[in-house]
Amino acid sequence: MLDAALRIFSIIFPVFACSALGAAYGYFRRPDMAVVNRLNMEFFAPFLVFWALMDKPFDFLAFRDLTIGGVAVVLGSGLLLLPLAWLFRINLKTFLPPMMFNNSGNMGIPLILFAFGESALQAAVVLFIIEMVLHFTVGFYILNHRTNPLHLLKMPMIQATILGLLFSSLHLTLPDALANTVKLLGQVSIPLLLFSLGVRLLDVNFRDWKLGTLGAIAGPAAGLGSAFLIAQWLELSATHYALLLVFAALPPAVLNVLVAEQYQQEPDRVASIVLLGNLASLVIMPAILWFALPH
């Protein structure tokens, strides 16, 4: 049991330590992270996605059930929490997006990488892409029915995904010099995602702590409930099942705050949900890893 606890600590510590260092630096320096975040999402992270997909042959059939499971977790979380939102008379546009769209980038990819090793990077990227595509389609549609899904094609992340899948399916490779450059640029993304998360969380508040506490419990519960329900109908390997559980329990994405600000959809309340959800993950994620990882 002690060995298992130490293993989970070694997985969790780098993730939260990088975020804590970001928060500490942000507290004293108050940096403007807008340019850094944009650079990461439009440059470094696409290199990470491209490298993860093209580095090894991408087996579409091997990820079929995991993909279905990821979609079910995101959409199922929203469906399961609809009655709760109606019961407490919470604005659906405020409450549901943070419950559905989780931190699969800032926290999910590093956590899976540390917990399951580099062999799980493709699966982590697949889940990240699922969450991101649904966020920029279904999530934006929840807030504004006039959202055009075709705008996704303009996103560097989607372009990198398409290019990576094309390289993998056609068994194309890059010369070692270029491949190492792509890998190096992609590796910048993970610590920068965690550092940015820590800085960003300084800007949110505890004003709506009751709603935030409700979301911190309800979000992972709905995600895990969706994962358990859909897993009965899927043929998931033990590793993919564990990855799906980790994905299902992740806290709300910080991007929910930025989107709420863009659409003027009670950004302060959304920020409270996101902050408390990420703080609660200090307890929730070790418990999920304890359950999901082989002992």
Side-chain angles (χ1 to χ4, degrees):
M1 183 176 292
L2 179 60
D3 288 344
L6 290 174
R7 181 185 176 194
I8 291 172
F9 177 77
S10 68
I11 293 167
I12 290 289
F13 181 80
V15 174
F16 288 102
C18 287
S19 296
L21 288 171
Y25 182 84
Y27 179 80
F28 290 106
R29 293 289 187 177
R30 288 292 171 180
D32 182 2
M33 295 297 291
V35 175
V36 175
N37 290 331
R38 183 172 181 178
L39 183 64
N40 202 7
M41 295 304 293
E42 294 185 357
F43 190 76
F44 295 121
F47 273 109
L48 175 68
V49 170
F50 174 69
W51 173 70
L53 294 176
M54 64 82 61
D55 181 52
K56 299 173 183 176
F58 188 83
D59 189 343
F60 290 91
L61 288 178
F63 290 104
R64 180 194 62 189
D65 285 23
L66 182 64
T67 300
I68 296 171
V71 172
V73 164
V74 174
L75 300 183
S77 297
L79 291 174
L80 288 178
L81 291 177
L82 266 175
L84 186 69
W86 286 330
L87 177 65
F88 289 99
R89 297 181 181 180
I90 306 170
N91 190 314
L92 297 181
K93 294 183 178 182
T94 299
F95 187 64
L96 290 186
M99 298 296 95
M100 296 169 65
F101 308 112
N102 61 32
N103 227 336
S104 58
N106 294 68
M107 188 179 293
I109 290 178
L111 199 59
I112 289 173
L113 197 60
F114 288 127
F116 299 92
E118 198 167 299
S119 61
L121 181 58
Q122 275 193 345
V125 167
V126 166
L127 291 171
F128 171 52
I129 292 169
I130 290 167
E131 184 274 328
M132 180 183 61
V133 169
L134 289 175
H135 199 165
F136 283 92
T137 52
V138 177
F140 278 35
Y141 184 79
I142 291 173
L143 296 173
N144 181 1
H145 293 349
R146 297 178 183 179
T147 299
N148 184 358
L150 293 178
H151 288 166
L152 276 175
L153 297 176
K154 298 180 181 179
M155 295 176 57
M157 203 82 73
I158 299 300
Q159 294 167 358
T161 300
I162 295 171
L163 195 60
L165 292 174
L166 183 65
F167 266 68
S168 181
S169 60
L170 296 178
H171 303 287
L172 301 176
T173 58
L174 294 175
D176 288 345
L178 281 178
N180 289 334
T181 302
V182 169
K183 181 179 180 180
L184 189 63
L185 288 170
Q187 287 174 335
V188 173
S189 178
I190 293 176
L192 196 55
L193 283 169
L194 293 171
F195 190 87
S196 299
L197 172 62
V199 176
R200 181 63 192 175
L201 289 177
L202 290 174
D203 296 332
V204 296
N205 57 67
F206 290 96
R207 188 175 304 163
D208 288 296
W209 65 269
K210 291 182 180 179
L211 180 61
T213 303
L214 176 64
I217 299 169
L224 290 170
S226 301
F228 285 131
L229 288 173
I230 194 63
Q232 310 303 316
W233 304 94
L234 301 176
E235 296 181 5
L236 294 167
S237 66
T239 299
H240 280 186
Y241 181 60
L243 292 177
L244 187 63
L245 293 182
V246 171
F247 175 72
L250 287 169
V254 179
L255 181 61
N256 286 292
V257 181
L258 305 180
V259 174
E261 289 173 349
Q262 178 182 344
Y263 286 98
Q264 289 301 300
Q265 183 57 50
E266 299 183 301
D268 288 343
R269 304 196 80 193
V270 174
S272 295
I273 294 172
V274 170
L275 171 63
L276 287 170
N278 278 271
L279 289 178
S281 69
L282 285 165
V283 175
I284 293 172
M285 295 317 301
I288 294 302
L289 288 172
W290 182 278
F291 178 80
L293 289 171
H295 294 291

